[in-house]
Amino acid sequence: MKVLVPVKRVVDYNVKVRVKSDNSGVDIANVKMSMNPFDEIAVEEAVRLKEKGLVTEIVAVSCGVAQCQETLRTAMAIGADRAILVETSEELQPLAVAKLLKALVDKEQPQLVILGKQAIDDDANQTGQMLAALCDLPQATFASKVELTADKVSVTREIDGGAETLSLSLPAVITTDLRLNEPRYVTLPNIMKAKKKPLENLKPEDLGVDVTPRLKTLKVSEPPKRGAGIKVPDVATLVDKLKNEAKVL
């Protein structure tokens, strides 16, 4: 069984992002970049399924600039067998990524696609759902548990009221949530081994996909600074301030 795992290169989650002076976007110059944490969980889950003997090959995929090779090498150090980079300097929006992934699904014919539920840079939470729609495949989002058999996959997913379990026929698309697993620490020997694993380089034109942006960002600004908190002597004063100053009651 082959599993396709898309991964995205994003600003590291420990970095405090800064808005550009012209408000055109976030400044990523000289900023530490790493794999999207949700995608790291997706790679880990695919590797665990392989370790159980349920998966034979894991293909990591990334779309973006040439530096995304570093992210793919990390995925291979975790346990992916090979990688594909769709290289472009164009700004990639969720629909464009979904179309690129759809072309790769048609090319690779995986039985399962596992990807993070969202990226921490744009928080769009759209690519997995769009991919499932384009490929006409069953999907399970926000997975907190995955159980795989030869022709079906059972997914426990988190919903507002608790959890629900879905049974999907393969092939299928799954998006991962934080509670699915805890990714392993990448060791130096595995990093060295990842350098020898195959990495295929493609262009959007090779897949016949137009990645021209359809949305335009008008302005990016930092959230307003929060005012300092105050102490109140009693509940009556608190209620009065919430009602007359904060206007939330």
Side-chain angles (χ1 to χ4, degrees), residues 90-161:
E90 195 77 69
E91 178 199 350
L92 291 176
Q93 294 172 349
L95 182 57
V97 175
K99 287 180 177 179
L100 291 171
L101 294 178
K102 198 266 183 188
L104 289 172
V105 167
D106 293 342
K107 179 174 179 279
E108 294 287 336
Q109 294 293 305
Q111 283 71 51
L112 196 60
V113 181
I114 308 178
L115 65 161
K117 70 172 184 176
Q118 65 195 73
I120 62 171
D121 52 1
D122 58 16
D123 273 335
N125 184 14
Q126 294 176 340
T127 306
Q129 293 89 326
M130 287 176 169
L131 175 62
L134 290 171
C135 296
D136 195 24
L137 294 177
Q139 63 173 312
T141 55
F142 315 133
S144 58
K145 185 178 180 182
V146 175
E147 294 175 308
L148 185 63
T149 61
D151 59 346
K152 285 190 178 296
V153 59
S154 175
V155 179
T156 302
R157 61 187 298 269
E158 299 190 359
I159 56 175
D160 289 342

Side-chain angles (χ1 to χ4, degrees), residues 39-232:
D39 296 336
E40 200 172 357
I41 291 168
V43 177
E44 174 67 27
E45 190 63 23
V47 173
R48 292 188 185 191
L49 292 173
K50 186 180 180 183
E51 289 171 345
K52 291 176 183 176
L54 301 169
V55 169
T56 54
E57 185 182 27
I58 301 169
V59 184
V61 178
S62 192
C63 306
V65 294
Q67 291 89 331
C68 290
Q69 289 187 29
E70 301 164 12
T71 308
L72 289 170
R73 293 293 179 194
T74 302
M76 289 190 283
I78 295 172
D81 298 292
R82 59 187 176 92
I84 301 171
L85 170 62
V86 183
E87 188 179 338
T88 176
S89 57
E90 195 77 69
E91 178 199 350
L92 291 176
Q93 294 172 349
L95 182 57
V97 175
K99 287 180 177 179
L100 291 171
L101 294 178
K102 198 266 183 188
L104 289 172
V105 167
D106 293 342
K107 179 174 179 279
E108 294 287 336
Q109 294 293 305
Q111 283 71 51
L112 196 60
V113 181
I114 308 178
L115 65 161
K117 70 172 184 176
Q118 65 195 73
I120 62 171
D121 52 1
D122 58 16
D123 273 335
N125 184 14
Q126 294 176 340
T127 306
Q129 293 89 326
M130 287 176 169
L131 175 62
L134 290 171
C135 296
D136 195 24
L137 294 177
Q139 63 173 312
T141 55
F142 315 133
S144 58
K145 185 178 180 182
V146 175
E147 294 175 308
L148 185 63
T149 61
D151 59 346
K152 285 190 178 296
V153 59
S154 175
V155 179
T156 302
R157 61 187 298 269
E158 299 190 359
I159 56 175
D160 289 342
E164 70 175 4
T165 302
L166 303 176
S167 179
L168 311 178
S169 57
L170 298 177
V173 176
I174 296 173
T175 71
T176 61
D177 211 339
L178 282 174
R179 277 165 284 281
L180 180 57
N181 62 51
E182 186 173 335
R184 67 195 66 192
Y185 177 76
V186 181
T187 62
L188 184 58
N190 285 338
I191 292 173
M192 300 308 292
K193 288 176 188 174
K195 292 182 179 180
K196 297 179 180 178
K197 292 182 178 180
L199 194 158
E200 184 181 0
N201 203 309
L202 300 173
K203 301 284 185 185
E205 308 86 70
D206 300 332
L207 300 171
V209 177
D210 178 15
V211 295
T212 305
R214 292 165 174 257
L215 304 174
K216 182 180 179 182
T217 301
L218 300 179
K219 183 181 179 184
V220 176
S221 58
E222 292 188 10
K225 296 232 177 346
R226 292 181 60 181
I230 61 169
K231 289 183 179 181
V232 293

